[in-house]
Amino acid sequence: MPLIPEEPQIHESAQGPRATPASGRTAPTPRPVPGPRPAAPSRPGRPGPLRPAPPVQRTPRDVAPAKPGPSGPAAPAASAATPQIQLIPASVEGALDAAEEAVDLLLDSGRAPGDVLVITTGAQHPWAEHELSFGEASYWAQHDAGDDVFYTDAAIAARASSRPVVVVAVNGGPASAAATALPLAHTRAGALLIVCGDPQQINAVLGAGV
């Protein structure tokens, strides 16, 4: 009778099938903080997104528990809702550009323009200069409307009200400007404070004044 050839035996590999990387997926490459540009762009300009640096590691303050009321449990401590602080290292010349790109990233991520306040310690943002040329009444009316990003400087920032996000550009000015603007910005920021400038200077001011 004819011989039937044996079927080849299939031996499973000890190692499982190698996973192949998903096609079309590449790991995002972090972008460095940009250097100084010839001139700061006006507000409508939208450069590429900038990923803010990791938050400054800060030790939370001890919060004393609230005393219970006569007819209910203890109310949550108001000071527990302190803003997160993020630091973007930048030179004096590049601080305003870094702040502008941080604003663009916030807007691209879904933040409403009216949520953002920008404070400069040195030269004013071009938007603020332009709007102030029409008079302070018109300038502050836009602040009160609260429907767009508002730019101001350390000299008059105390008049600005709180917003969920405050961005500070430490772009020069006297040392007293940063010493005043940073603690003020911390009190005005509801959820997030982003500071662009020299890390050593920023940490010295925030460590002493916040």
Side-chain angles (χ1 to χ4, degrees), residues 40 95-97 99-100 117-126 128-129 139 150-157 166-174 177-178 181-182 185 196:
L96 190 58
D97 286 335
E100 185 74 356
L117 170 68
V118 181
I119 301 174
T120 58
T121 64
Q124 289 180 331
H125 188 277
E129 288 184 343
Y139 172 73
F150 189 77
Y151 295 83
T152 187
D153 63 23
I156 57 177
V166 177
V167 181
V168 180
V170 185
N171 62 330
L182 291 175
C196 307

